[in-house]
Amino acid sequence: MTRPIFGRVVPERWRTTGATAPGQRTVGEPGTARIAVDLLGGDQAPAVVVDGALRACRADPSLHLTLVGPAEAADAVLAALKPGERRRITTAITATETVNGAVRAVAEGRADALVSAGDTRVLVLSAARELGRWPGIRRPALTAVLPTAAGRLVLLDVGSSVDPDAETLAWHARLGAAYASVVHHVSAPRVGLLTIGTEPGKGDRLRRALPAQLYDLPLPAGARYAGLVEGGDVVLGRAADVVVTDGFTGNVLLKGLETAYALTGPPSPDAEPPPRAALLLGVSGTVVVCHGAARGPDLAAGIALAADLHRRGSVAAIADLLRAQRGIAHD
Amino acid sequence: MTRPIFGRVVPERWRTTGATAPGQRTVGEPGTARIAVDLLGGDQAPAVVVDGALRACRADPSLHLTLVGPAEAADAVLAALKPGERRRITTAITATETVNGAVRAVAEGRADALVSAGDTRVLVLSAARELGRWPGIRRPALTAVLPTAAGRLVLLDVGSSVDPDAETLAWHARLGAAYASVVHHVSAPRVGLLTIGTEPGKGDRLRRALPAQLYDLPLPAGARYAGLVEGGDVVLGRAADVVVTDGFTGNVLLKGLETAYALTGPPSPDAEPPPRAALLLGVSGTVVVCHGAARGPDLAAGIALAADLHRRGSVAAIADLLRAQRGIAHD
């Protein structure tokens, strides 16, 4: 069984259509997005985070950043900005626990979303504790998007649930279906289960036990189970809009394909590369995670993703879809 | 614990340097390679296997094929060949259990190696039973080669051990090191362990327990443990010559990257694409496995790989290296 992580479960009541979650309150200015950035997250921090923050600021005039970390790094961002731009920066100076600091900025309503390239385990635990898990979620799922020959595809989990059970993979199916519907506007998303052969009985212990459960699983957004898919299907993108797997396999495949596409170009010439960043789904807030090896442009793309998801109210809309589907399933 | 599969263990005595294993006897004609081909293996069999056999015959005048399968499929190969070429074909007509038939052809010395795109589990069990496992091997490893930005890399396992234990992954390290030394002529191969982050404590239960064991593991061919590697390192190829993983993750990553490179081109412009076929290491014979979705050119490449490995005596040389290293380790 997947051990439930600590952290309170958010009561149902806030998750009515149109309402926003704690930490998703919007400020007066329309279009403004206030993103908390963990200055010490990532192998090359703070340099790459400073670089990413500056790139993001320059690309989006409505962006406000809360920089969480040491004074020197925050000062490096401020020094590189024009005086008029500096009012878009808030600092939360701390030399330690910058992940927790960024999560708390969202939990306390000082930021609309957060971005970190820090330790995934620390971030998942902190987000579950401070923001709260959705009902039923034992472990939030890191949800990534990959370009495919046919468009793009949602892959989850990519690093949060490394030893999941069948119930957790079933939750990945629900979360991924809702993500594809809300963020990619896919109607009736097809959800595939990643395995190593499409004949019955293929796969490891976990995968061999799962398909029957998935067939019967009520999915949100009119989604349906599209069957077993293989590694190559994640590149071709014809068999499924959402691919469900454990966080170990998903992380290995994601990093392999991202690195391959960075070298060889994308699988479709007209594919716009998605940000190399993942959304943590299953907590009440917009939490974007970059790889530990992320560079400045990746951090900037992660910040832009967080701002976009906040402005579109995507996380609350995904929670609403899941609640509505739960209601139908329980009738 | 990885459950040992059935099949006798080959006694040490045949594995002296220069000796050949049962089923690896060479016939008089130098350079001749006699390859048993499973006509019913693969999703598109027998059509793609017939196509592959013809391509292989035309490319290699010293190739002799033993076609194992139904008469109609064997006749399709014979009909497409010129009369003078037909003496290079032997048939073993059977409508069922073509995998076992191909394995028996090697076990009985009628073929030097075999190629199948059939069910991996059936093939692994049959090969272990009929050819025998090497001492210490509980489950043979499917060993694949991928092109990288820096050259090429050995990846194992890619589909045989889907729920391995630490001891089985340690065996993958030994087998892969010996393969890189014998087949790729790498001196002192670097062996990496595939995981999802290079900080200590990252990875799933299996991976978190393993690195300490690998550090202490005596490896053949002067190989050394090169540490934890991630999905992207399998593309870049700078960190390791051999990458060790479980058969589930390895299969997903292999099929993902192979499909990506087929669409976008290889990770290095001067990389010659390796055959999309894997060698089953740990049994006393040359057993090459193609994907279930293999096409004619893949089957032809698998047959060419089997012939090349046989002509170079690679499998016996790998067994010799492992025996020598065992001898040193036990001194």
Side-chain angles (χ1 to χ4, degrees):
Chain A
M1 201 188 95
T2 302
R3 209 155 26 120
I5 57 174
F6 293 103
R8 68 195 158 81
V9 173
V10 177
E12 291 273 353
R13 57 188 151 72
W14 69 262
R15 294 187 303 102
T16 52
T17 308
T20 51
Q24 289 196 303
R25 286 184 291 270
T26 48
V27 290
E29 197 181 337
T32 296
R34 301 167 307 153
I35 312 298
V37 177
D38 168 12
L39 285 172
L40 289 188
D43 306 342
Q44 309 291 323
V48 293
V49 190
V50 167
D51 180 33
L54 286 170
R55 288 169 185 266
C57 271
R58 283 166 186 151
D60 180 351
S62 300
L63 196 66
H64 288 235
L65 297 184
T66 296
L67 303 176
V68 183
E72 304 76 46
D75 288 346
V77 176
L78 288 166
L81 291 173
K82 291 177 195 145
E85 293 174 327
R86 286 180 197 153
R87 62 184 171 80
R88 289 163 54 201
I89 304 292
T90 308
T91 56
I93 302 305
T94 171
T96 59
E97 298 204 326
T98 51
V99 168
N100 291 330
V103 171
R104 269 198 304 275
V106 175
E108 294 166 3
R110 290 179 281 118
D112 301 313
L114 76 95
V115 175
S116 174
D119 188 314
T120 301
R121 289 168 307 169
V122 174
L123 183 57
V124 168
L125 292 172
S126 177
R129 189 179 59 240
E130 302 285 339
L131 303 172
R133 285 177 282 129
W134 294 345
I137 300 279
R138 278 186 291 193
R139 197 163 187 103
L142 267 179
T143 308
V145 177
L146 273 166
T148 71
R152 60 187 169 172
L153 170 149
V154 180
L155 178 68
L156 76 169
D157 176 60
V158 297
S160 170
S161 305
V162 291
D163 291 302
D165 56 12
E167 171 67 14
T168 300
L169 286 197
W171 262 109
H172 292 355
R174 296 186 191 100
L175 292 166
Y179 184 101
S181 171
V182 167
V183 180
H184 291 174
H185 308 295
V186 177
S187 65
R190 298 158 304 155
V191 179
L193 175 67
L194 188 61
T195 188
I196 63 172
T198 50
E199 309 92 330
K202 281 277 195 172
D204 60 356
R205 267 190 294 269
L206 175 63
R207 258 51 69 145
R208 288 196 303 271
L210 200 72
Q213 293 192 19
L214 270 189
Y215 270 120
D216 297 334
L217 189 71
L219 292 170
R224 62 182 176 80
Y225 177 53
L228 300 170
V229 301
E230 298 190 59
D233 294 312
V234 176
V235 174
L236 301 174
R238 287 193 299 259
D241 307 297
V242 177
V243 169
V244 169
T245 190
D246 65 280
F248 188 88
T249 308
N251 185 285
V252 166
L253 182 63
L254 176 74
K255 287 177 178 166
L257 290 179
E258 280 184 348
T259 307
Y261 297 149
L263 276 178
T264 65
S268 164
D270 46 314
E272 198 187 327
R276 287 154 65 114
L279 175 64
L280 186 68
L281 269 183
V283 294
S284 295
T286 302
V287 178
V288 168
V289 182
C290 293
H291 295 311
R295 303 288 184 128
D298 300 322
L299 264 300
I303 293 169
L305 172 66
D308 184 51
L309 291 169
H310 162 68
R311 286 175 177 135
R312 294 161 64 190
S314 301
V315 172
I318 290 169
D320 284 344
L321 256 187
L322 291 167
R323 190 174 60 93
Q325 181 257 323
R326 247 165 97 102
I328 292 163
H330 288 182
D331 275 354
Chain B
M1 202 187 96
T2 303
R3 211 159 21 124
I5 58 172
F6 294 105
R8 68 192 158 83
V9 173
V10 177
E12 291 273 351
R13 58 189 150 72
W14 69 261
R15 295 186 304 101
T16 51
T17 308
T20 52
Q24 291 196 301
R25 286 183 291 269
T26 48
V27 290
E29 194 181 338
T32 296
R34 302 167 305 153
I35 312 298
V37 176
D38 169 12
L39 286 172
L40 289 188
D43 307 341
Q44 309 291 320
V48 292
V49 190
V50 168
D51 180 33
L54 287 170
R55 289 170 184 266
C57 272
R58 284 167 186 151
D60 180 350
S62 300
L63 196 66
H64 289 235
L65 296 184
T66 296
L67 303 175
V68 184
E72 304 76 45
D75 288 347
V77 176
L78 288 166
L81 291 173
K82 292 177 192 142
E85 294 174 326
R86 286 180 197 152
R87 61 181 171 81
R88 290 164 52 201
I89 304 292
T90 308
T91 57
I93 302 304
T94 172
T96 58
E97 298 203 327
T98 52
V99 168
N100 290 331
V103 171
R104 270 198 304 275
V106 175
E108 294 167 4
R110 291 180 281 118
D112 301 313
L114 77 95
V115 175
S116 174
D119 188 313
T120 301
R121 289 168 308 169
V122 174
L123 182 57
V124 169
L125 291 172
S126 178
R129 188 178 59 240
E130 302 285 339
L131 303 172
R133 286 176 282 129
W134 294 344
I137 300 279
R138 278 186 292 195
R139 196 162 188 103
L142 268 179
T143 308
V145 177
L146 273 166
T148 71
R152 59 187 170 173
L153 170 149
V154 180
L155 179 68
L156 75 169
D157 177 62
V158 298
S160 171
S161 305
V162 291
D163 290 303
D165 56 13
E167 171 68 13
T168 300
L169 286 198
W171 263 108
H172 293 353
R174 296 186 190 100
L175 292 165
Y179 184 101
S181 171
V182 167
V183 181
H184 291 174
H185 309 294
V186 177
S187 65
R190 298 159 302 157
V191 179
L193 174 67
L194 187 61
T195 188
I196 62 172
T198 50
E199 308 91 331
K202 281 277 195 171
D204 60 357
R205 266 190 294 269
L206 175 63
R207 257 52 65 144
R208 288 196 302 271
L210 201 70
Q213 294 192 18
L214 271 190
Y215 269 119
D216 297 333
L217 190 71
L219 292 170
R224 62 180 176 80
Y225 176 54
L228 300 169
V229 301
E230 298 190 58
D233 294 312
V234 176
V235 174
L236 301 174
R238 287 194 300 258
D241 306 297
V242 177
V243 169
V244 169
T245 190
D246 65 282
F248 187 88
T249 308
N251 185 286
V252 166
L253 182 63
L254 176 73
K255 287 176 178 167
L257 290 179
E258 280 184 350
T259 307
Y261 297 150
L263 277 178
T264 65
S268 163
D270 45 313
E272 199 186 328
R276 285 152 66 113
L279 175 64
L280 187 68
L281 270 182
V283 294
S284 295
T286 302
V287 178
V288 168
V289 183
C290 293
H291 296 309
R295 303 288 185 130
D298 299 323
L299 264 301
I303 293 169
L305 172 66
D308 184 52
L309 291 169
H310 162 68
R311 287 176 176 134
R312 294 161 64 189
S314 300
V315 172
I318 290 168
D320 284 345
L321 256 189
L322 290 167
R323 191 174 59 92
Q325 182 257 321
R326 248 164 98 103
I328 292 164
H330 289 183
D331 274 352

